[in-house]
Amino acid sequence: MAAGTHDYAQAAPPEGHYSAPAEDLNALDPKVWARTVRRDEDGVLTVGGLPVTRLAEEFGTPAFFLDETDFRARCRAWRDAFGAEADVFYAGKAFLSRAVVRWLHEEGLNLDVCSGGELATALDAGMPAARIAFHGNNKTTAEIRRAVEAGIGRIVLDSFEEIVRVAHVAGELGVRQPVQIRVTVGVEAHTHEFIATAHEDQKFGLALAGGQAAEAVRRALKLDGLELVGIHSHIGSQIFDMAGFEVSARRVVQLLAEVRDEHGVELPEIDLGGGLGIAYTSDDDPREPHEIAKALGEIVTRECESAGLATPRISVEPGRAIVGPTAFTLYEVGTVKPLEGLRTYVSVDGGMSDNIRTALYDAEYTVTLASRTSDAEPMLVRVVGKHCESGDIVVRDAFLPADLAPGDLLAVPATGAYCRSMASNYNHALRPPVVAVDEGAARVVVRRETEEDLLRLDVG
Ligand SMILES: *Cc1c(COP(=O)(O)O)cnc(C)c1O
C-alpha cells in the first residue's frame, strides 16, 4: 500500500459479535419474528396485516406490538405437546397483563406468579386460583395470606422460614395448602452453556447436596397446614441444551426415591421449571415444544422406572418461550452519527428504559428498517437509546442500510419477554404501551404512561 493512503477494505473491522451482513437487509428471518409479521407491497413491515407506519401514527413510538395470534398459537403448541398428563404454567414475570391472563385461561394454561402484584393481576383477570402457582425466595406473610385465602393451587417453598410461615397462615385459615419444595440440583444452565460449578451458591431453593432439601421435606411432611405434593427445580434461562434438564430430572427423581424410602410417601408431582431458549438472532436454534415435551417425558419415565417409582405428573414453566417471540418494539430514528472507521450510532426514541436486557445481560438482538425497504449498502450500526448512560444500547451490532435517516422506523424483534416487564422510568421516561394485534385489529392492552402518571406518584 502506498504511503499516506489507507485501505479501509483491508482494515480490521471494529470489535463486536457480528457476522457478515445478511445478503438482503430487507429479508425477515421467520425464526426471530412473530408469526404474522410480513412486508407489504410497499416494503412496510406489517403485523396481523397492519402496516407499522399506520400503527406508529395511531399508537406512537416507542411501542411494543404483540401478535396475539402467535401468542395463542404458542400456548396451544405447549398445551398440546405436554397433553393431559402434564401441566404448563406460563411464567408471568416474562410479561403479564390482564389480557394475557385471559388468553392463558382460554387456551388452557396455568400461571406462575412471583409477587403480590402479579397475583393481584392474575386474580383480577379471572384466572382460577387453583391454576396459579406462587414462587419466589422471600414472599411476605401478607402475600402468603392473600394467596392461601384465594385458594391458590401451589405455593413453592423456598426456605425453612417459609415452610413455617405458610403452615402458620394455613393453620390460621383452617386449610391444608398444597406446596412444592424448590430444590437446587447442582446444575446451572445458561445461554448455550452448561455449567456445573458454583451452582449451589445462589439465593433460590434448598440444596440437594448436603441434605437441605431432604430436611425441608422432613419438616414439611410434619406440618398439618401443608400438603406436600412435589419437588420443584428451575435451572436457568435461555437454555437450548436438554442436558441440564436431564441432570435436573435425574436428581429430582433421586430425591423422590429417598423420600419414599424414608417416609413411605410417593410425592405425585415434579416441576422442571422454565428457561427454554428462543431465537433472538438467526444464530439461535430453539427447540419446538413437542421435542422438549418428548425429551423431558422420556427422561422422567426412564429415571422413575429405574428407581421403581410411578411416573409423577410433570409440570413446566415456560415464560420467554411463549411470549418472547410474539412481540417487537417499534422505534423512530432520531439521529444517525457515523464514527469514522468504527460504526454508526443510531439513536432511537426509547432505550434501556424499555429494554434493559442488552445492558444487563449483554443480550443480542437484531433490528430491521421497518417503514420501508432499501437497496443501499449495509452499514455497521449500534442502535442506542436516549438515556444518560453510554451503556444504553438496544442492539450492540447490526447492519442497516446506509441511507438510514431520522424519521425512519426501526423494529427490534423478540422483545416480548423481560422488556416491558423490566421497563423503568429512568430519566422519567414514560413506559411504552403494549398493543395487541390480531387479524387486522389492534388494541392497547397496556397504555403508554403519561406525565400525569409520573406526577401522580410524586406527592411534593
Ligand atoms: C423465571 C422463571 C421461569 C421462567 O423462565 P423463562 O426463562 O422465561 O422460561 C420459570 N420458573 C421459575 C421458577 C422462574 O423463576
Side-chain angles (χ1 to χ4, degrees):
M1 203 182 343
T5 66
H6 186 83
D7 184 350
Y8 283 103
Q10 296 291 314
E15 260 178 59
H17 344 194
Y18 54 90
S19 28
E23 236 157 71
D24 177 6
L25 288 185
N26 304 310
L28 301 171
D29 181 349
K31 256 205 303 196
V32 302
W33 291 95
R35 199 157 307 206
T36 72
V37 170
R38 310 267 185 281
R39 279 190 196 274
D40 66 14
E41 59 273 21
D42 301 323
V44 178
L45 197 81
T46 65
V47 54
L50 301 174
V52 294
T53 39
R54 230 171 78 198
L55 292 170
E57 259 167 45
E58 187 171 348
F59 301 104
T61 56
F64 295 98
F65 292 96
L66 198 166
D67 184 344
E68 181 182 339
T69 316
D70 193 11
F71 186 97
R72 287 179 181 273
R74 284 175 193 276
C75 288
R76 284 195 289 273
W78 279 88
R79 188 54 278 168
D80 295 348
F82 280 84
E85 278 76 55
D87 295 303
V88 181
F89 286 78
Y90 169 77
K93 69 182 196 228
F95 173 66
L96 196 66
S97 76
R98 288 190 278 203
V100 161
V101 174
R102 280 193 295 272
W103 301 338
L104 294 167
H105 189 185
E106 286 164 16
E107 302 300 344
L109 266 65
N110 300 346
L111 175 60
D112 265 3
V113 299
C114 61
S115 72
E118 289 181 2
L119 177 61
T121 305
L123 293 174
D124 183 85
M127 179 60 85
R131 282 172 48 189
I132 305 175
F134 194 0
H135 290 270
N137 66 302
N138 189 17
K139 309 169 194 75
T140 66
T141 304
E143 287 172 327
I144 292 168
R145 180 175 299 278
R146 174 103 199 264
V148 176
E149 267 172 358
I152 198 160
R154 300 282 174 272
I155 293 183
V156 183
L157 302 170
D158 201 282
S159 64
F160 291 128
E161 288 92 337
E162 207 168 74
I163 294 173
V164 178
R165 265 176 218 152
V166 174
H168 182 75
V169 171
E172 278 182 348
L173 296 170
V175 297
R176 253 187 119 210
Q177 175 60 48
V179 295
Q180 296 180 337
I181 290 172
R182 163 99 179 241
V183 302
T184 40
V185 295
V187 296
E188 189 188 355
H190 280 296
T191 315
H192 303 293
E193 55 197 68
F194 173 48
I195 310 161
T197 56
H199 37 269
E200 264 106 23
D201 191 359
Q202 52 133 325
K203 71 172 185 168
F204 291 110
L206 291 146
L208 287 175
Q212 269 198 330
E215 176 58 20
V217 170
R218 238 166 259 139
R219 295 190 192 184
L221 285 174
K222 280 205 192 102
L223 293 166
D224 287 339
L226 305 182
E227 182 193 356
L228 181 63
V229 294
I231 301 297
H232 179 285
S233 156
H234 171 74
I235 55 172
S237 60
Q238 187 59 359
I239 304 164
F240 293 99
D241 186 348
M242 295 305 284
F245 287 102
E246 175 131 21
V247 178
S248 160
R250 190 178 320 130
R251 295 192 184 160
V252 167
V253 171
Q254 261 163 26
L255 178 63
L256 293 186
E258 283 167 34
V259 170
R260 176 202 51 200
D261 296 344
E262 184 179 339
H263 305 282
V265 185
E266 284 199 24
L267 299 178
E269 297 178 2
I270 68 174
D271 187 314
L272 294 172
L276 288 315
I278 64 164
Y280 284 101
T281 74
S282 297
D283 296 336
D284 296 324
D285 283 307
R287 303 243 183 154
E288 294 294 326
H290 68 264
E291 297 175 275
I292 294 162
K294 185 161 178 283
L296 292 182
E298 282 172 3
I299 296 165
V300 173
T301 306
R302 191 181 63 224
E303 294 300 323
C304 286
E305 263 168 24
S306 77
L309 288 163
T311 306
R313 192 171 177 85
I314 300 174
S315 47
V316 288
E317 307 171 313
R320 185 193 317 270
I322 291 179
V323 72
T326 67
F328 62 86
T329 315
L330 192 66
Y331 298 104
E332 184 177 310
V333 174
T335 70
V336 179
K337 190 184 282 181
L339 300 189
E340 191 70 22
L342 287 170
R343 74 191 93 231
T344 296
Y345 278 77
V346 176
S347 296
V348 294
D349 50 357
M352 64 192 292
S353 56
D354 57 71
N355 188 348
I356 191 67
R357 294 190 65 260
T358 307
L360 194 58
Y361 310 123
D362 226 357
E364 286 184 43
Y365 285 92
T366 60
V367 58
T368 198
L369 174 55
S371 43
R372 62 187 173 93
T373 50
S374 164
D375 297 327
E377 287 298 297
M379 69 172 168
L380 181 63
V381 302
R382 179 159 290 172
V383 179
V384 296
K386 57 183 274 133
H387 295 285
C388 300
E389 287 276 335
S390 49
D392 172 25
I393 297 168
V394 180
V395 184
R396 193 172 303 281
D397 299 292
F399 288 92
L400 284 171
D403 62 352
L404 191 76
D408 280 332
L409 298 177
L410 295 182
V412 175
T415 58
Y418 305 108
C419 286
R420 183 60 181 79
S421 68
M422 286 186 163
S424 78
N425 292 119
Y426 182 47
N427 296 141
H428 284 202
L430 305 171
R431 287 178 295 175
V434 179
V435 179
V437 180
D438 189 31
E439 296 182 4
R443 71 187 169 102
V444 175
V445 294
V446 178
R447 73 159 166 78
R448 185 184 303 284
E449 269 177 335
T450 62
E451 286 172 7
E452 274 128 65
D453 291 328
L454 287 182
L455 290 168
R456 192 174 311 143
L457 301 182
D458 182 339
V459 293

